[in-house]
Amino acid sequence: MNIGDWTERFGGTSRLPRRVRDRLLESARVTRYPAGKRVFGPDKIPDSLMFLVEGTIRVSQTSENGRDIVLYRVEAGESCVLTTACMMAEEAYNAEGIAERDVVSVILPRAAFDRLVAEEPEFRAFVFAAYSRRLIDLLRVVDDVAFGRIDVRLAERLIAMAGEEKEIAATHLQLAGELGTAREVISRVLQDFSKRGLISQTRGHITLVDRDGIRAIAESA
C-alpha cells in the first residue's frame, strides 16, 4: 500500500532533515489492522517502532481480578509510548492494544531504529521528545485514577465520547474500563446524573439530556 511521504503527517518527523526522512521512508513498511483487531498484546517483545497514520488504537491493561483500565489512545499522527519503551528495554508488553477504528500504521524495524538513533541526532531527539510527552500523558492517567473525582472524570468522558452527538453507545462495564474503576461505581454515578435530569439511559445507551450540566461537572475539578 502506497501512502506517499508519510513523514509529512507527523509534526516531529516533518521537521527532521530531508536525509533522515529519506532513511525513514526507505526502512519503514506499511501495515493495516481492521477495527477490533489486536495490534499488540502481553508477553510479546516489540521489534519495531510504530507510527500511526490513520485510525485509533486503544491501549488498556487488565488487573489480576479482571478489571480493565484504559491507559491511553494512540491517534493518527502519534507513536505508541508503550511500544517505544518496551522495545528500548527489550521487555514484553504488559498491556493490550486494540484497533478501535481501521488502522494504517508505519513500522520501523528495530535494526533501522537502532541505526537512526545512533547516527542521526535529530531523530534521536525526536524519539525521546515524543516518548516524554506520552509518558507525561500516562502519568496524568495515573493521577486521575488515584486522586480524581469519579463524577468529574465520568462527565469528561461522556462529553468526549458524545462529540457533537447526544447518544453514546456504551455499557457501564465499558465506561468502568475507560476510567479504571468498578462497574458498580459507574452505575451509581450515572444513576445520580439521571436523577438530576442530566442524562437518560437505556440498555447499552446513554443520552445527554443536559449537555451544559454535564460539562459544568466536567469543568468543576
Side-chain angles (χ1 to χ4, degrees):
M1 176 184 180
N2 184 5
I3 58 173
D5 186 354
W6 58 266
T7 64
E8 295 178 351
R9 307 190 189 192
F10 296 81
T13 55
S14 67
R15 292 190 292 270
L16 291 172
R18 187 69 254 178
R19 72 177 190 283
V20 180
R21 293 172 62 183
D22 287 342
R23 291 185 67 177
L24 284 170
L25 292 170
E26 180 181 354
S27 302
R29 65 180 188 273
V30 178
T31 59
R32 297 173 62 92
Y33 300 91
K37 179 76 173 180
R38 175 192 272 193
V39 180
F40 58 81
D43 303 325
K44 180 181 184 300
I45 299 176
D47 58 2
S48 57
L49 183 68
M50 175 186 293
F51 298 91
L52 196 62
V53 178
E54 297 177 9
T56 304
I57 299 173
R58 177 183 184 267
V59 182
S60 63
Q61 192 172 47
T62 304
S63 67
E64 291 182 358
N65 63 8
R67 180 182 297 175
D68 284 338
I69 178 172
V70 177
L71 301 176
Y72 58 88
R73 283 176 170 80
V74 187
E75 305 285 351
E78 297 176 345
S79 57
C80 178
V81 63
L82 187 62
T83 299
T84 306
C86 291
M87 184 182 67
M88 291 193 297
E90 297 185 352
E91 295 280 350
Y93 287 110
N94 60 355
E96 180 180 62
I98 300 293
E100 282 195 322
R101 298 197 301 271
D102 289 351
V103 161
V104 176
S105 63
V106 173
I107 302 300
L108 181 67
R110 174 64 188 263
F113 171 84
D114 288 343
R115 287 194 301 271
L116 282 164
V117 166
E119 299 169 7
E120 301 289 358
E122 294 91 348
F123 179 75
R124 184 165 60 246
F126 155 71
V127 168
F128 286 106
Y131 177 75
S132 298
R133 286 194 300 272
R134 297 298 292 172
L135 184 58
I136 289 170
D137 290 342
L138 187 55
L139 290 174
R140 289 197 184 103
V141 172
V142 174
D143 185 68
D144 283 345
V145 170
F147 306 112
R149 282 172 43 194
I150 190 63
D151 60 333
V152 172
R153 295 173 55 221
L154 180 55
E156 290 173 342
R157 190 65 200 141
L158 292 176
I159 291 291
M161 292 177 72
E164 298 299 320
E165 305 297 325
K166 296 180 66 175
E167 293 281 340
I168 300 168
T171 66
H172 294 193
L173 185 61
Q174 288 169 332
L175 289 169
E178 292 283 335
L179 300 177
T181 189
R183 179 184 59 79
E184 294 79 8
V185 174
I186 295 298
S187 297
R188 185 168 63 249
V189 177
L190 288 174
Q191 184 64 28
D192 176 63
F193 286 177
S194 183
K195 288 179 179 178
R196 294 159 63 180
L198 301 173
I199 66 168
S200 63
Q201 301 183 77
T202 56
R203 187 174 182 83
H205 288 82
I206 298 168
T207 302
L208 302 189
V209 176
D210 182 358
R211 183 186 294 268
D212 290 340
I214 292 292
R215 183 175 287 108
I217 294 173
E219 295 172 353
S220 65

Short mmCIF file of all heavy atoms in Angstrom, two decimals, residues 38-83:
data_model
loop_
_atom_site.label_atom_id
_atom_site.label_comp_id
_atom_site.label_asym_id
_atom_site.label_seq_id
_atom_site.Cartn_x
_atom_site.Cartn_y
_atom_site.Cartn_z
N ARG A 38 -6.44 -7.10 17.40
CA ARG A 38 -5.38 -6.82 18.37
C ARG A 38 -4.11 -6.41 17.63
O ARG A 38 -3.63 -7.14 16.76
CB ARG A 38 -5.10 -8.05 19.24
CG ARG A 38 -3.92 -7.85 20.18
CD ARG A 38 -3.46 -9.14 20.82
NE ARG A 38 -4.19 -9.40 22.04
CZ ARG A 38 -3.80 -10.33 22.92
NH1 ARG A 38 -2.74 -11.08 22.67
NH2 ARG A 38 -4.49 -10.53 24.02
N VAL A 39 -3.57 -5.26 17.99
CA VAL A 39 -2.34 -4.76 17.37
C VAL A 39 -1.13 -5.30 18.12
O VAL A 39 -0.12 -5.66 17.53
CB VAL A 39 -2.33 -3.22 17.35
CG1 VAL A 39 -1.05 -2.69 16.71
CG2 VAL A 39 -3.56 -2.69 16.60
N PHE A 40 -1.22 -5.32 19.44
CA PHE A 40 -0.18 -5.94 20.25
C PHE A 40 -0.81 -6.42 21.56
O PHE A 40 -1.92 -6.02 21.91
CB PHE A 40 0.99 -5.00 20.52
CG PHE A 40 0.61 -3.70 21.22
CD1 PHE A 40 0.41 -3.65 22.60
CD2 PHE A 40 0.47 -2.53 20.49
CE1 PHE A 40 0.07 -2.46 23.23
CE2 PHE A 40 0.13 -1.34 21.11
CZ PHE A 40 -0.07 -1.31 22.49
N GLY A 41 -0.09 -7.31 22.25
CA GLY A 41 -0.64 -7.86 23.47
C GLY A 41 0.46 -8.31 24.41
O GLY A 41 1.65 -8.27 24.08
N PRO A 42 0.07 -8.74 25.63
CA PRO A 42 1.04 -9.15 26.64
C PRO A 42 1.95 -10.28 26.16
O PRO A 42 1.59 -11.08 25.30
CB PRO A 42 0.15 -9.61 27.80
CG PRO A 42 -1.16 -8.91 27.59
CD PRO A 42 -1.32 -8.82 26.10
N ASP A 43 3.14 -10.30 26.75
CA ASP A 43 4.12 -11.37 26.53
C ASP A 43 4.84 -11.30 25.19
O ASP A 43 5.62 -12.20 24.87
CB ASP A 43 3.48 -12.77 26.70
CG ASP A 43 2.83 -12.94 28.06
OD1 ASP A 43 3.37 -12.39 29.04
OD2 ASP A 43 1.78 -13.60 28.14
N LYS A 44 4.61 -10.25 24.41
CA LYS A 44 5.33 -10.11 23.14
C LYS A 44 6.31 -8.94 23.26
O LYS A 44 5.91 -7.83 23.65
CB LYS A 44 4.37 -9.87 21.99
CG LYS A 44 5.06 -9.72 20.64
CD LYS A 44 4.06 -9.47 19.53
CE LYS A 44 4.73 -9.40 18.17
NZ LYS A 44 5.72 -8.33 18.07
N ILE A 45 7.56 -9.17 22.94
CA ILE A 45 8.55 -8.09 22.94
C ILE A 45 8.50 -7.39 21.58
O ILE A 45 8.69 -8.04 20.54
CB ILE A 45 9.97 -8.64 23.20
CG1 ILE A 45 10.03 -9.31 24.57
CG2 ILE A 45 11.00 -7.51 23.10
CD1 ILE A 45 11.36 -9.96 24.88
N PRO A 46 8.20 -6.10 21.55
CA PRO A 46 8.10 -5.42 20.25
C PRO A 46 9.45 -5.34 19.55
O PRO A 46 10.49 -5.18 20.20
CB PRO A 46 7.58 -4.02 20.63
CG PRO A 46 7.98 -3.83 22.05
CD PRO A 46 7.93 -5.20 22.67
N ASP A 47 9.42 -5.49 18.25
CA ASP A 47 10.66 -5.44 17.47
C ASP A 47 10.65 -4.32 16.45
O ASP A 47 11.42 -4.32 15.50
CB ASP A 47 10.89 -6.78 16.76
CG ASP A 47 9.73 -7.16 15.84
OD1 ASP A 47 8.76 -6.37 15.73
OD2 ASP A 47 9.78 -8.26 15.25
N SER A 48 9.76 -3.33 16.67
CA SER A 48 9.69 -2.21 15.74
C SER A 48 9.01 -1.02 16.40
O SER A 48 8.29 -1.16 17.39
CB SER A 48 8.92 -2.61 14.47
OG SER A 48 7.63 -3.07 14.81
N LEU A 49 9.27 0.16 15.86
CA LEU A 49 8.63 1.39 16.30
C LEU A 49 7.42 1.64 15.42
O LEU A 49 7.48 1.47 14.20
CB LEU A 49 9.61 2.56 16.20
CG LEU A 49 9.12 3.94 16.69
CD1 LEU A 49 8.93 3.93 18.20
CD2 LEU A 49 10.13 5.02 16.30
N MET A 50 6.30 2.05 16.04
CA MET A 50 5.06 2.22 15.29
C MET A 50 4.68 3.69 15.19
O MET A 50 4.65 4.41 16.19
CB MET A 50 3.92 1.45 15.95
CG MET A 50 2.55 1.67 15.29
SD MET A 50 1.21 0.88 16.19
CE MET A 50 1.63 -0.83 15.93
N PHE A 51 4.36 4.14 13.97
CA PHE A 51 3.79 5.46 13.73
C PHE A 51 2.37 5.24 13.19
O PHE A 51 2.19 4.53 12.21
CB PHE A 51 4.60 6.23 12.69
CG PHE A 51 6.02 6.52 13.08
CD1 PHE A 51 7.03 5.63 12.73
CD2 PHE A 51 6.35 7.65 13.78
CE1 PHE A 51 8.35 5.87 13.07
CE2 PHE A 51 7.67 7.92 14.13
CZ PHE A 51 8.67 7.03 13.78
N LEU A 52 1.40 5.85 13.83
CA LEU A 52 0.00 5.65 13.41
C LEU A 52 -0.38 6.71 12.38
O LEU A 52 -0.39 7.91 12.68
CB LEU A 52 -0.93 5.72 14.62
CG LEU A 52 -2.33 5.17 14.40
CD1 LEU A 52 -2.27 3.68 14.06
CD2 LEU A 52 -3.19 5.37 15.63
N VAL A 53 -0.71 6.26 11.17
CA VAL A 53 -1.06 7.17 10.08
C VAL A 53 -2.56 7.43 10.06
O VAL A 53 -3.01 8.57 9.89
CB VAL A 53 -0.61 6.59 8.72
CG1 VAL A 53 -1.02 7.51 7.58
CG2 VAL A 53 0.90 6.39 8.72
N GLU A 54 -3.37 6.37 10.26
CA GLU A 54 -4.83 6.51 10.28
C GLU A 54 -5.39 5.61 11.38
O GLU A 54 -4.82 4.58 11.71
CB GLU A 54 -5.44 6.09 8.93
CG GLU A 54 -5.03 6.95 7.76
CD GLU A 54 -5.62 6.45 6.44
OE1 GLU A 54 -6.48 5.54 6.49
OE2 GLU A 54 -5.20 6.94 5.39
N GLY A 55 -6.55 6.01 11.93
CA GLY A 55 -7.24 5.19 12.90
C GLY A 55 -6.90 5.54 14.34
O GLY A 55 -6.28 6.56 14.63
N THR A 56 -7.32 4.65 15.26
CA THR A 56 -7.10 4.82 16.69
C THR A 56 -6.82 3.46 17.32
O THR A 56 -7.47 2.48 16.99
CB THR A 56 -8.35 5.42 17.39
OG1 THR A 56 -8.70 6.65 16.77
CG2 THR A 56 -8.08 5.68 18.87
N ILE A 57 -5.84 3.43 18.22
CA ILE A 57 -5.53 2.22 18.98
C ILE A 57 -5.82 2.49 20.45
O ILE A 57 -5.33 3.47 21.03
CB ILE A 57 -4.06 1.80 18.81
CG1 ILE A 57 -3.76 1.48 17.35
CG2 ILE A 57 -3.74 0.58 19.69
CD1 ILE A 57 -2.29 1.21 17.07
N ARG A 58 -6.63 1.64 21.05
CA ARG A 58 -6.96 1.73 22.48
C ARG A 58 -6.00 0.84 23.25
O ARG A 58 -5.94 -0.37 23.03
CB ARG A 58 -8.41 1.26 22.69
CG ARG A 58 -8.90 1.23 24.13
CD ARG A 58 -10.32 0.67 24.11
NE ARG A 58 -10.96 0.65 25.42
CZ ARG A 58 -10.94 -0.38 26.25
NH1 ARG A 58 -10.29 -1.48 25.92
NH2 ARG A 58 -11.56 -0.31 27.42
N VAL A 59 -5.23 1.45 24.15
CA VAL A 59 -4.24 0.71 24.93
C VAL A 59 -4.78 0.54 26.34
O VAL A 59 -5.08 1.52 27.03
CB VAL A 59 -2.89 1.45 24.96
CG1 VAL A 59 -1.86 0.64 25.75
CG2 VAL A 59 -2.39 1.71 23.54
N SER A 60 -4.92 -0.71 26.78
CA SER A 60 -5.51 -0.98 28.09
C SER A 60 -4.74 -2.07 28.81
O SER A 60 -3.97 -2.82 28.21
CB SER A 60 -6.98 -1.40 27.94
OG SER A 60 -7.08 -2.61 27.21
N GLN A 61 -4.96 -2.12 30.11
CA GLN A 61 -4.31 -3.12 30.94
C GLN A 61 -5.38 -3.82 31.78
O GLN A 61 -6.35 -3.18 32.22
CB GLN A 61 -3.28 -2.46 31.84
CG GLN A 61 -2.34 -3.42 32.55
CD GLN A 61 -1.23 -2.69 33.27
OE1 GLN A 61 -1.48 -1.72 33.97
NE2 GLN A 61 -0.01 -3.14 33.09
N THR A 62 -5.21 -5.11 32.01
CA THR A 62 -6.16 -5.89 32.80
C THR A 62 -5.50 -6.34 34.09
O THR A 62 -4.41 -6.91 34.07
CB THR A 62 -6.65 -7.12 32.02
OG1 THR A 62 -7.21 -6.69 30.77
CG2 THR A 62 -7.71 -7.88 32.80
N SER A 63 -6.18 -6.07 35.23
CA SER A 63 -5.63 -6.45 36.52
C SER A 63 -5.87 -7.94 36.78
O SER A 63 -6.55 -8.63 36.01
CB SER A 63 -6.30 -5.63 37.63
OG SER A 63 -7.68 -5.98 37.75
N GLU A 64 -5.30 -8.45 37.87
CA GLU A 64 -5.44 -9.86 38.20
C GLU A 64 -6.90 -10.26 38.45
O GLU A 64 -7.28 -11.41 38.24
CB GLU A 64 -4.60 -10.20 39.43
CG GLU A 64 -3.09 -10.13 39.16
CD GLU A 64 -2.29 -10.52 40.38
OE1 GLU A 64 -2.90 -10.80 41.44
OE2 GLU A 64 -1.05 -10.56 40.28
N ASN A 65 -7.71 -9.30 38.92
CA ASN A 65 -9.12 -9.61 39.18
C ASN A 65 -10.00 -9.38 37.95
O ASN A 65 -11.22 -9.43 38.05
CB ASN A 65 -9.64 -8.80 40.37
CG ASN A 65 -9.62 -7.30 40.12
OD1 ASN A 65 -9.35 -6.87 39.00
ND2 ASN A 65 -9.89 -6.52 41.15
N GLY A 66 -9.37 -9.11 36.81
CA GLY A 66 -10.11 -8.98 35.56
C GLY A 66 -10.61 -7.59 35.24
O GLY A 66 -11.30 -7.40 34.23
N ARG A 67 -10.26 -6.59 36.03
CA ARG A 67 -10.72 -5.24 35.77
C ARG A 67 -9.83 -4.56 34.74
O ARG A 67 -8.61 -4.60 34.84
CB ARG A 67 -10.74 -4.41 37.06
CG ARG A 67 -11.22 -2.98 36.86
CD ARG A 67 -11.17 -2.19 38.16
NE ARG A 67 -12.07 -2.76 39.15
CZ ARG A 67 -12.15 -2.32 40.40
NH1 ARG A 67 -11.35 -1.34 40.82
NH2 ARG A 67 -13.00 -2.88 41.25
N ASP A 68 -10.45 -3.93 33.75
CA ASP A 68 -9.70 -3.23 32.70
C ASP A 68 -9.57 -1.75 33.04
O ASP A 68 -10.45 -1.16 33.68
CB ASP A 68 -10.42 -3.34 31.35
CG ASP A 68 -10.24 -4.70 30.71
OD1 ASP A 68 -9.27 -5.39 31.06
OD2 ASP A 68 -11.07 -5.06 29.86
N ILE A 69 -8.47 -1.16 32.58
CA ILE A 69 -8.31 0.28 32.63
C ILE A 69 -7.68 0.74 31.33
O ILE A 69 -6.72 0.12 30.84
CB ILE A 69 -7.45 0.73 33.83
CG1 ILE A 69 -7.29 2.26 33.80
CG2 ILE A 69 -6.09 0.05 33.84
CD1 ILE A 69 -6.62 2.83 35.02
N VAL A 70 -8.25 1.77 30.74
CA VAL A 70 -7.69 2.35 29.51
C VAL A 70 -6.54 3.27 29.90
O VAL A 70 -6.72 4.23 30.65
CB VAL A 70 -8.76 3.13 28.73
CG1 VAL A 70 -8.14 3.79 27.50
CG2 VAL A 70 -9.90 2.22 28.32
N LEU A 71 -5.34 2.95 29.41
CA LEU A 71 -4.18 3.76 29.73
C LEU A 71 -4.12 5.02 28.87
O LEU A 71 -3.87 6.11 29.36
CB LEU A 71 -2.90 2.94 29.53
CG LEU A 71 -2.79 1.66 30.37
CD1 LEU A 71 -1.53 0.90 30.01
CD2 LEU A 71 -2.82 2.00 31.85
N TYR A 72 -4.35 4.85 27.58
CA TYR A 72 -4.37 5.99 26.65
C TYR A 72 -4.81 5.48 25.30
O TYR A 72 -4.98 4.27 25.09
CB TYR A 72 -2.99 6.66 26.55
CG TYR A 72 -1.87 5.74 26.11
CD1 TYR A 72 -1.57 5.55 24.77
CD2 TYR A 72 -1.09 5.06 27.05
CE1 TYR A 72 -0.55 4.71 24.37
CE2 TYR A 72 -0.07 4.21 26.66
CZ TYR A 72 0.20 4.05 25.31
OH TYR A 72 1.21 3.21 24.91
N ARG A 73 -4.99 6.39 24.37
CA ARG A 73 -5.27 6.04 22.98
C ARG A 73 -4.19 6.63 22.09
O ARG A 73 -3.74 7.75 22.34
CB ARG A 73 -6.65 6.56 22.56
CG ARG A 73 -7.80 5.73 23.08
CD ARG A 73 -9.15 6.34 22.73
NE ARG A 73 -10.26 5.44 23.02
CZ ARG A 73 -10.77 5.25 24.24
NH1 ARG A 73 -10.29 5.93 25.27
NH2 ARG A 73 -11.76 4.38 24.43
N VAL A 74 -3.80 5.86 21.10
CA VAL A 74 -2.88 6.36 20.09
C VAL A 74 -3.71 6.83 18.91
O VAL A 74 -4.47 6.05 18.33
CB VAL A 74 -1.88 5.28 19.64
CG1 VAL A 74 -0.83 5.89 18.71
CG2 VAL A 74 -1.22 4.62 20.84
N GLU A 75 -3.60 8.11 18.58
CA GLU A 75 -4.35 8.69 17.48
C GLU A 75 -3.45 8.87 16.27
O GLU A 75 -2.22 8.80 16.37
CB GLU A 75 -4.94 10.04 17.90
CG GLU A 75 -5.79 10.02 19.15
CD GLU A 75 -7.17 9.41 18.94
OE1 GLU A 75 -7.52 9.15 17.77
OE2 GLU A 75 -7.89 9.20 19.93
N ALA A 76 -4.06 9.11 15.11
CA ALA A 76 -3.29 9.36 13.89
C ALA A 76 -2.33 10.52 14.13
O ALA A 76 -2.69 11.54 14.72
CB ALA A 76 -4.23 9.68 12.73
N GLY A 77 -1.10 10.35 13.69
CA GLY A 77 -0.08 11.37 13.87
C GLY A 77 0.75 11.18 15.12
O GLY A 77 1.61 12.00 15.43
N GLU A 78 0.52 10.05 15.85
CA GLU A 78 1.25 9.79 17.09
C GLU A 78 1.97 8.45 17.01
O GLU A 78 1.67 7.61 16.17
CB GLU A 78 0.29 9.78 18.29
CG GLU A 78 -0.41 11.10 18.53
CD GLU A 78 -1.41 11.02 19.67
OE1 GLU A 78 -1.77 9.90 20.08
OE2 GLU A 78 -1.84 12.09 20.14
N SER A 79 2.92 8.27 17.93
CA SER A 79 3.55 6.97 18.10
C SER A 79 3.13 6.41 19.44
O SER A 79 2.58 7.12 20.28
CB SER A 79 5.09 7.10 18.03
OG SER A 79 5.56 8.01 19.01
N CYS A 80 3.37 5.12 19.66
CA CYS A 80 2.92 4.45 20.89
C CYS A 80 4.05 4.42 21.91
O CYS A 80 5.09 3.80 21.69
CB CYS A 80 2.46 3.03 20.56
SG CYS A 80 1.94 2.09 22.02
N VAL A 81 3.84 5.09 23.06
CA VAL A 81 4.89 5.19 24.08
C VAL A 81 5.23 3.82 24.65
O VAL A 81 6.40 3.54 24.95
CB VAL A 81 4.48 6.17 25.20
CG1 VAL A 81 3.23 5.69 25.93
CG2 VAL A 81 5.61 6.37 26.19
N LEU A 82 4.24 2.96 24.79
CA LEU A 82 4.50 1.64 25.36
C LEU A 82 5.37 0.80 24.43
O LEU A 82 6.29 0.10 24.87
CB LEU A 82 3.18 0.92 25.65
CG LEU A 82 3.29 -0.40 26.40
CD1 LEU A 82 3.91 -0.18 27.78
CD2 LEU A 82 1.92 -1.05 26.55
N THR A 83 5.08 0.88 23.13
CA THR A 83 5.91 0.17 22.15
C THR A 83 7.35 0.67 22.21
O THR A 83 8.29 -0.12 22.21
CB THR A 83 5.34 0.35 20.73
OG1 THR A 83 4.02 -0.20 20.68
CG2 THR A 83 6.20 -0.35 19.70
#
